[in-house]
Coordinates of all heavy atoms in Angstrom, one line a residue:
K18 N -10.0 12.9 -7.1 CA -8.7 12.4 -6.8 C -8.7 11.4 -5.7 O -8.1 10.3 -5.7 CB -7.8 13.6 -6.3 CG -7.3 14.5 -7.4 CD -6.3 15.5 -6.8 CE -7.1 16.6 -6.2 NZ -7.0 17.9 -6.8
L34 N 1.0 20.4 5.7 CA 2.3 20.4 5.0 C 2.8 21.9 4.9 O 2.1 22.8 4.8 CB 2.1 19.9 3.6 CG 1.7 18.4 3.5 CD1 1.4 18.1 2.0 CD2 2.8 17.5 4.0
P43 N 7.8 10.6 4.7 CA 9.3 10.5 4.8 C 9.7 9.0 5.2 O 8.9 8.4 5.9 CB 9.7 11.5 5.8 CG 8.5 11.7 6.6 CD 7.3 11.5 5.7
I47 N 12.4 11.7 13.3 CA 13.0 11.7 14.6 C 12.2 12.5 15.6 O 11.9 13.7 15.3 CB 14.5 12.2 14.6 CG1 15.3 11.2 13.7 CG2 15.1 12.2 16.0 CD1 16.7 11.7 13.4
S78 N 2.5 3.8 7.9 CA 2.8 4.6 6.8 C 4.2 4.2 6.2 O 4.6 4.8 5.2 CB 2.9 6.1 7.3 OG 1.7 6.5 7.8
D94 N 21.7 3.1 25.7 CA 21.1 1.9 25.1 C 19.8 1.6 25.9 O 19.8 1.7 27.2 CB 22.1 0.8 25.1 CG 21.6 -0.4 24.2 OD1 21.6 -0.3 23.0 OD2 21.1 -1.4 24.9
Q97 N 20.1 -0.3 29.2 CA 20.5 0.4 30.4 C 19.4 1.2 31.1 O 19.6 1.7 32.2 CB 21.7 1.4 30.1 CG 22.9 0.7 29.5 CD 23.9 1.7 28.9 OE1 23.5 2.8 28.4 NE2 25.1 1.4 29.0
P104 N 13.1 10.8 39.6 CA 13.2 11.7 40.7 C 11.9 12.0 41.4 O 11.9 12.4 42.5 CB 13.8 13.0 40.0 CG 13.7 12.8 38.6 CD 13.5 11.4 38.3
Q119 N 11.9 0.5 30.6 CA 12.7 -0.3 29.7 C 11.8 -1.4 29.0 O 11.8 -1.6 27.8 CB 13.8 -1.0 30.4 CG 14.7 -1.9 29.5 CD 15.9 -2.5 30.2 OE1 16.5 -1.9 31.1 NE2 16.3 -3.7 29.8
M122 N 9.5 0.2 26.5 CA 10.3 0.6 25.3 C 10.5 -0.6 24.4 O 10.4 -0.6 23.2 CB 11.6 1.2 25.7 CG 11.5 2.6 26.2 SD 13.1 3.2 26.7 CE 12.9 5.0 26.6
E123 N 10.9 -1.7 25.0 CA 11.2 -3.0 24.3 C 9.9 -3.5 23.6 O 9.9 -3.9 22.4 CB 11.8 -4.0 25.2 CG 13.2 -3.7 25.7 CD 13.7 -4.6 26.8 OE1 12.9 -5.3 27.4 OE2 14.9 -4.5 27.1
Q158 N 20.0 3.9 -1.4 CA 20.7 2.7 -1.9 C 19.7 1.6 -2.2 O 19.9 0.8 -3.1 CB 21.7 2.2 -0.9 CG 23.0 3.0 -0.8 CD 23.9 2.6 0.3 OE1 23.6 1.8 1.1 NE2 25.1 3.2 0.3

Side-chain angles (χ1 to χ4, degrees):
K18 284 186 279 243
L34 295 173
I47 299 172
S78 300
D94 189 79
Q97 300 170 326
Q119 179 177 327
M122 287 175 156
E123 291 167 349
Q158 286 175 350

